[in-house]
Each structure stands twice: as C-alpha cells, then as structure tokens.
Amino acid sequence: MTRSSPTSPGSRTSTRRTPSSHELDDGVRLASGARLEQFARAGSGDAFCFVGEGGEERPVVYVSLDGEAGPLGLGLAEVARLSLVAPWWRDARGRTAEELRAVADEYREDVPDLDARRDRAARALGLDPAGLPSEAAVLTRLVDLSRRPMAADWLVLGYEGEPLDPLCDGSGEEGRQTRA
C-alpha cells in the first residue's frame, strides 16, 4: 500500500521531471533533514539519489514514482555491482528464493547474452567480473541495508510529508527468502 507518492497524478503538470532533469519534485526529502541529491533517473522516471554531503562514496537511495524508496548501497560502486549482478533487482521485493530464480531466468531469456554484457560492463568500470558478488549476496545486502540503524536516516518523505513505502521492509522476510 502506498502511503504517499513523490508525485500526485494531476497535482501539477510539471511533477514528472524529464529523465535529463537532476531535480527531485518539490517536497521530496529525507526525514533526517540530510541532503538528498538526485544524480540519475531510470527510464521510468524513478530517481537515484546520494544522501548527505561528499562524493560518490555517499549512501545511495532509490525513489520510485510508485511511492517506494530505500537504500541501494553505500556508495556508487556498490550500486553498480548490484545493477551488474542483478539488473532485475526492482522485481525482488517480497519474492521467495524460487520466485527470484524464476525472475532471473526470465530476464536471462530476454537477454541471453547477459553474462557477456555484465562482464563487458564490469571491465569498462574497472571491475574484475570474477570478483563480482553472487545474485543472492547482492539481494541480501539490499535487505540488510534497510535494517541497519542508519536506514532511519535515509527515510524518504513524499511531498505531503508522509514516508514512502520501503523497497524492502527490513522485517527479515525478504532476507530469508533471498538467502537460499
């Protein structure tokens, strides 16, 4: 259930920013008051944001137009590994290990050369493909980040001031499901 979404359909014509825009909609912010700096947009319009001050080592949160948000990694390098290893991570929420395997298999059917593409992209980023973590490890990490005490510092509020739904609820259910 979505408590609040970062944009409200029909609320104003400019609520959905273009993918080239690096600004969040007015009022979308962190509950902690820390800086939330968008640095990229997905094709869907969802936002990737740094938390706080500093460089690419800052925590990264994802803010979806569907009213979900949550931490993706501690730094851009961790988010890159997540995206390389499990590019379908957005579909992982609330699924069992068996369901996750099915999602991954379906993704691989659609992109049969996924491993070659991943390895090529990893090398382009200066990463050794053999050193990338497993799918289970990156998904477990995604859930673990939502449980950490600092996750409260990364709580994203919609423009109405209500918390957005978590990507992972941190209850442990997704973590148990992804560890298999």
Side-chain angles (χ1 to χ4, degrees), residues 12 18 33 140 163 172 178:
R12 54 182 192 245
T18 62
T140 296
T178 60

Side-chain angles (χ1 to χ4, degrees), residues 92-105:
R93 185 175 183 215
R95 296 183 185 267
T96 65
E98 185 176 302
E99 290 168 335
L100 286 173
R101 181 77 275 150
V103 169
D105 290 345

Side-chain angles (χ1 to χ4, degrees), residues 54-144:
E56 63 185 43
E57 75 288 346
R58 293 179 282 172
V60 175
V61 296
Y62 184 79
V63 181
S64 126
L65 291 178
D66 294 329
E68 296 177 332
L72 291 183
L74 296 178
L76 196 53
E78 187 171 8
V79 174
R81 287 189 296 274
L82 167 68
S83 297
L84 287 168
V85 172
W88 43 266
W89 63 266
R90 245 333 242 130
D91 296 327
R93 185 175 183 215
R95 296 183 185 267
T96 65
E98 185 176 302
E99 290 168 335
L100 286 173
R101 181 77 275 150
V103 169
D105 290 345
E106 184 177 320
Y107 196 93
R108 287 177 184 283
E109 282 178 25
D110 291 342
V111 186
D113 62 341
L114 177 64
D115 292 338
R117 289 180 183 200
R118 178 204 58 221
D119 292 353
R120 194 170 41 251
R123 284 190 292 276
L125 294 169
L127 300 171
D128 177 5
L132 292 173
S134 69
E135 290 174 353
V138 296
L139 293 171
T140 296
R141 174 72 172 154
L142 190 61
V143 172
D144 288 346

Side-chain angles (χ1 to χ4, degrees), residues 24 28 35-40 47-51 58-63 72-73 156:
L24 287 169
V28 176
R35 182 174 180 204
L36 184 63
E37 178 189 351
Q38 179 183 320
F39 64 87
F48 293 85
C49 305
F50 286 123
V51 173
R58 293 179 282 172
V60 175
V61 296
Y62 184 79
V63 181
L72 291 183
V156 179

